[in-house]
Amino acid sequence: MPKHPPLPDHLRPELSIVFVGINPGLRSAALGHHYAGTSNRFWKLIYDANLVPEPLSYRDDGRLPEWGLGLTNLVSRSTASMESLTPQDYAAGRLVLMQKLLRYRTRVVALLGMTLYPILFPLEPKRTGRTPGLQPATLYDSNIVLLPNPSGRNASYPYHSMLEAFRTLTPWAKSGLESPP
């Protein structure tokens, strides 16, 4: 299997929302763009949630900062599935991600995958049944919004449920408020 270079982050100062994925899939890595999987719903979700003014595809990932949105991953190594990631991948990725979040100080960190929360907040009591939406924790004064993973492999979340979760970000994207009304 060919080794692909890490996907570039799309980050800059003064972003409203930074989306944090778990790690790139093999198709995304091969094409060099975030959320390029044929069944991934990320691009449709951000448009349908009114986070961007026009339909986009993975080829447009570098344009997201135009609308105050950024992209990064917890782990930069691409894999066929997250089951291939190791505790060392998560620990190293967590340190790098924290440095990025400290540097860019976004209003909202949108975690794309329910499994990201316990990785980023390992000292918080383990809780089953965590629901998408605004979480009580913050990172460097950034609000945390937990979202379902938009991968087509995540069959446990139908599209309308994912869209409802993504719409929790709309007030930050449109109004620029520190917290939603």
Side-chain angles (χ1 to χ4, degrees):
M1 177 174 1
K3 184 174 167 98
H4 300 285
L7 293 181
D9 288 331
H10 297 293
L11 300 172
R12 70 174 193 211
E14 300 182 24
L15 293 172
S16 295
I17 301 165
V18 169
F19 291 97
V20 178
I22 298 167
N23 77 307
L26 296 177
R27 178 176 162 81
S28 290
L31 295 174
H33 293 281
H34 294 265
Y35 306 106
T38 54
S39 62
N40 197 296
R41 298 167 279 190
F42 177 80
W43 299 104
K44 182 168 176 33
L45 284 161
I46 65 170
Y47 175 70
D48 289 348
N50 295 314
L51 300 175
V52 293
E54 63 191 61
L56 302 173
S57 80
Y58 65 88
R59 291 179 188 92
D60 299 306
D61 58 359
R63 294 183 59 206
L64 285 184
E66 294 175 27
W67 298 290
L69 308 176
L71 291 172
T72 192
N73 288 292
L74 174 66
V75 176
S76 62
R77 182 169 69 89
S78 60
T79 61
S81 71
M82 66 179 278
E83 285 75 30
S84 301
L85 298 174
T86 66
Q88 293 79 12
D89 287 325
Y90 288 132
R94 185 179 186 279
L95 290 174
V96 172
L97 178 62
M98 292 302 186
Q99 291 169 347
K100 292 174 191 177
L101 297 176
L102 180 61
R103 177 177 179 198
Y104 291 106
R105 302 283 183 135
T106 185
R107 283 192 195 109
V108 177
V109 175
L111 304 177
L112 292 168
M114 306 303 273
T115 58
L116 280 169
Y117 195 88
I119 294 167
L120 293 179
F121 299 97
L123 301 179
E124 213 174 274
K126 300 289 183 234
R127 189 173 123 197
T128 58
R130 186 168 298 284
T131 57
L134 183 64
Q135 301 299 306
T138 60
L139 284 171
Y140 308 118
D141 298 324
S142 296
N143 292 292
I144 303 298
V145 173
L146 187 55
L147 299 171
N149 188 326
S151 169
R153 293 178 182 214
N154 188 5
S156 64
Y157 276 92
Y159 186 81
H160 71 276
S161 296
M162 283 192 180
L163 181 57
E164 185 178 316
F166 271 71
R167 283 185 174 147
T168 64
L169 296 171
T170 306
W172 281 292
K174 290 195 154 201
S175 66
L177 296 173
E178 290 300 317
S179 59

